[in-house]
Amino acid sequence: MLPSTRTGLWWGLLGVAAFSFTVPFTRIAVESGGMSPLFVGCARAVIAALLAAAALLLTRQRLPVGVQWFRLAVVAGGVVVGFPLLTSFALTTAPASHGAVVIGLLPAATAVMAVVRGRERPPVSFWVMAAVGAVVAVVFAALQGGGFGELHWSDLLLFGAVVAAAVGYAEGGLLARELGAWQTVSWALVLSAPLMIALTTVSMVQQTPTGTPVEWAAFAYLAVVSMFLGFFAWYRGLGIGPMAQVSQIQLTQPVMSICWAALLLHEQLAWPTVLGGVAVILCAGVAVRVRLGQSTVPGRR
């Protein structure tokens, strides 16, 4: 029998490994143009919502009440609508490795949103490292695009995706204490289903989705694993804990995504990409550690 600490870490690593394929598989799904980014971003949420509804019904979960529905809308807006749609459009032109580096800001951005939402007062070093990480990501994106005057619209979409996901994760983390972890994600998927169905219909009217078996397989992974099953492993790991240690595993996600981009998409790992990824991950790691360390000081809540 594994110690609970190690068990939680392994479940967390499984969840992060599942999510690490999201960026390269999104790139595969939208690269040829057979499936529009609107379809990929919305239809995967529709499939995940069907799975979530079935899980909620089979386990007879209680309905959210009152303001919980509004908070679920915030979660849905961030992780069900905002992040998938923005990354789908961005990755029609941006390489997967480039997107993985920018999205490497997510752990630090989530920590910032959690601090703001929880009204915490972290030390100045937290804000410094979060700001440095953001600057490094912007500089990386600018240099990859040819200079500060050449930031592409895909970079703006990626930064928007980071903000959207950070808001959704932070609110979802708080709401999970009331509804349960996977239940929160499932209710967010169900709540967003009418909008996602409508947008999926619009996308199919505008362009009939087509693709190779590989592209459809990538889309299926995004719908079933990235949008649904991955959260089961991730939140199980957080639930077993210790949460402070398990949450830091997310810092390995951009490294995995960059490696998958090289292996699956044959993208060249140039030194700027490697150095940019390392710098962003280090900044995010320090920011997350500072916040976690602050929250575990005796007498603090």
Side-chain angles (χ1 to χ4, degrees), residues 53-105:
L56 291 169
L57 286 173
L58 288 173
T59 56
R60 299 182 179 181
Q61 298 296 317
R62 64 181 179 84
L63 284 169
V65 295
V67 74
Q68 289 177 339
W69 285 109
F70 174 78
R71 296 171 65 190
L72 281 169
V74 174
V75 177
V79 301
V80 180
V81 181
F83 186 83
L85 274 175
L86 291 172
T87 52
S88 293
F89 278 98
L91 291 169
T92 57
T93 56
S97 56
H98 179 97
V101 172
V102 176
I103 293 172
L105 270 177

Side-chain angles (χ1 to χ4, degrees), residues 105-147:
L105 270 177
L106 184 53
T110 302
V112 169
M113 293 300 175
V115 163
V116 173
R117 180 66 177 82
R119 297 181 181 179
E120 300 175 20
R121 294 184 178 180
V124 174
S125 56
F126 167 81
W127 296 107
V128 170
M129 293 312 301
V132 170
V135 170
V136 169
V138 171
V139 170
F140 166 80
L143 293 177
Q144 289 274 290

Side-chain angles (χ1 to χ4, degrees), residues 16-244:
V16 167
F19 295 143
S20 70
F21 286 97
T22 300
V23 170
F25 279 0
T26 300
R27 175 68 173 168
I28 290 173
V30 302
E31 186 175 17
S32 70
M35 285 182 266
S36 70
L38 182 61
F39 173 81
V40 172
C42 296
R44 74 202 221 189
V46 173
I47 296 173
L50 292 174
L51 296 174
L56 291 169
L57 286 173
L58 288 173
T59 56
R60 299 182 179 181
Q61 298 296 317
R62 64 181 179 84
L63 284 169
V65 295
V67 74
Q68 289 177 339
W69 285 109
F70 174 78
R71 296 171 65 190
L72 281 169
V74 174
V75 177
V79 301
V80 180
V81 181
F83 186 83
L85 274 175
L86 291 172
T87 52
S88 293
F89 278 98
L91 291 169
T92 57
T93 56
S97 56
H98 179 97
V101 172
V102 176
I103 293 172
L105 270 177
L106 184 53
T110 302
V112 169
M113 293 300 175
V115 163
V116 173
R117 180 66 177 82
R119 297 181 181 179
E120 300 175 20
R121 294 184 178 180
V124 174
S125 56
F126 167 81
W127 296 107
V128 170
M129 293 312 301
V132 170
V135 170
V136 169
V138 171
V139 170
F140 166 80
L143 293 177
Q144 289 274 290
F148 286 99
E150 299 294 331
L151 268 177
H152 296 163
W153 65 274
S154 58
D155 293 313
L156 300 179
L157 292 176
L158 288 170
F159 284 120
V162 168
V163 173
V167 172
Y169 281 158
E171 189 62 42
L174 294 173
L175 193 54
R177 299 172 185 173
E178 303 170 22
L179 298 177
W182 70 266
Q183 294 91 331
T184 298
V185 176
S186 296
W187 282 118
L189 284 164
V190 170
L191 182 62
S192 63
L195 174 62
M196 294 292 97
I197 291 172
L199 291 176
T200 299
T201 303
V202 170
S203 72
M204 295 177 70
V205 170
Q206 293 177 341
Q207 175 187 337
T208 302
T210 60
T212 65
V214 171
E215 290 166 350
W216 281 112
F219 170 78
Y221 185 95
L222 295 172
V224 177
V225 180
S226 295
M227 291 291 290
F228 189 62
L229 292 181
F231 283 102
F232 279 70
W234 175 239
Y235 282 128
R236 179 171 174 77
L238 290 175
I240 295 173
M243 188 176 294

